[in-house]
Amino acid sequence: YIRVSSRQQAEEGLSLNHQISKITKYADENELDLLDIYEDAGVSGFTDNKIIEYSNNNGNGVSLKRKGMIQLLNTIKKSKTDFILVTKTDRLGRNKDERYFLRGLCEKHKVRIIYIDQPGLNGDPDDPTEVLMAGIFGVIDEFYSMNLGLEVRKVLEDKARKGQYTGGKVPIGYKLKEIPKGDGDKVEKI
């Protein structure tokens, strides 16, 4: 499973290609058959507006926001894989409810998650140290995402107070005009 958070990362493809390369190499070196690569490009592991309901046979479920993750969960649920290869814990997501749901589904279907760039995390649900470390990494991943959101919000609010462009769609009645390089010194505040 591979994922990048931003549209820019998805368009440039560098991180996706890097993740694919690491997963492919790990599978080859460990003589694992790579059945498929599920991808969520430009989709946050924490929030998104495109919510897809997913539940297991017990009626437990979560609101998942990623189509690639839904495909992965369906593969697990159909018992069509023994392992999930991912580069790091944060690629699977930064939402604790989704993470616990995924872990429970993997345990139920005896699927192990191997985190390639985090040695020692190989999906063994019977190893208390591994369960602890996966939980700690998960909390750190979620904290990082929440904290980054706060910091970005502070910057955008500051820019808005100063009357600077904060991104997004241009408001009705305004036009974006690209300034030729070298003409920046001709821009005046109106």
Side-chain angles (χ1 to χ4, degrees), residues 14-65:
L14 296 175
S15 183
L16 290 173
N17 292 336
H18 176 75
Q19 290 175 58
I20 290 170
S21 174
K22 293 209 77 150
I23 288 169
T24 303
K25 181 179 177 188
Y26 184 92
D28 289 344
E29 289 175 353
N30 291 279
E31 299 179 3
L32 299 174
D33 292 329
L34 189 58
L35 303 176
D36 210 340
I37 292 181
Y38 300 104
E39 173 183 315
D40 283 312
V43 181
S44 172
F46 191 71
T47 59
D48 188 54
N49 294 329
K50 298 173 186 141
I51 296 175
I52 301 167
E53 294 296 323
Y54 187 92
S55 63
N56 60 21
N57 294 333
N58 300 333
N60 298 325
V62 291
S63 295
L64 291 169
K65 305 152 183 86

Side-chain angles (χ1 to χ4, degrees), residues 26-159:
Y26 184 92
D28 289 344
E29 289 175 353
N30 291 279
E31 299 179 3
L32 299 174
D33 292 329
L34 189 58
L35 303 176
D36 210 340
I37 292 181
Y38 300 104
E39 173 183 315
D40 283 312
V43 181
S44 172
F46 191 71
T47 59
D48 188 54
N49 294 329
K50 298 173 186 141
I51 296 175
I52 301 167
E53 294 296 323
Y54 187 92
S55 63
N56 60 21
N57 294 333
N58 300 333
N60 298 325
V62 291
S63 295
L64 291 169
K65 305 152 183 86
R66 298 172 277 146
K67 290 180 182 179
M69 179 58 75
I70 292 290
Q71 292 170 326
L72 175 62
L73 292 174
N74 287 333
T75 298
I76 295 167
K77 197 172 177 181
K78 294 175 186 172
S79 299
K80 292 188 174 186
T81 189
D82 297 319
F83 299 97
I84 296 171
L85 301 179
V86 65
T87 54
K88 291 173 52 180
T89 56
D90 66 351
R91 296 303 84 203
L92 286 175
R94 295 178 182 197
N95 177 296
K96 66 181 175 305
D97 295 332
E98 291 177 9
R99 204 171 42 253
Y100 291 133
F101 182 82
L102 173 64
R103 183 170 158 218
L105 194 65
C106 285
E107 286 179 17
K108 178 180 177 182
H109 293 278
K110 302 193 182 337
V111 174
R112 295 177 78 150
I113 304 170
I114 297 175
Y115 304 95
I116 296 168
D117 290 338
Q118 292 168 310
L121 294 182
N122 60 8
D124 184 355
D126 298 322
D127 181 347
T129 302
E130 183 170 334
V131 171
L132 174 68
M133 293 308 295
I136 289 171
F137 279 121
V139 169
I140 291 169
D141 295 340
E142 190 164 3
F143 167 79
Y144 173 81
S145 184
M146 293 174 77
N147 191 58
L148 182 61
L150 288 173
E151 294 302 317
V152 168
R153 193 172 308 122
K154 287 179 197 175
V155 169
L156 292 176
E157 287 172 356
D158 188 51
K159 288 181 98 172

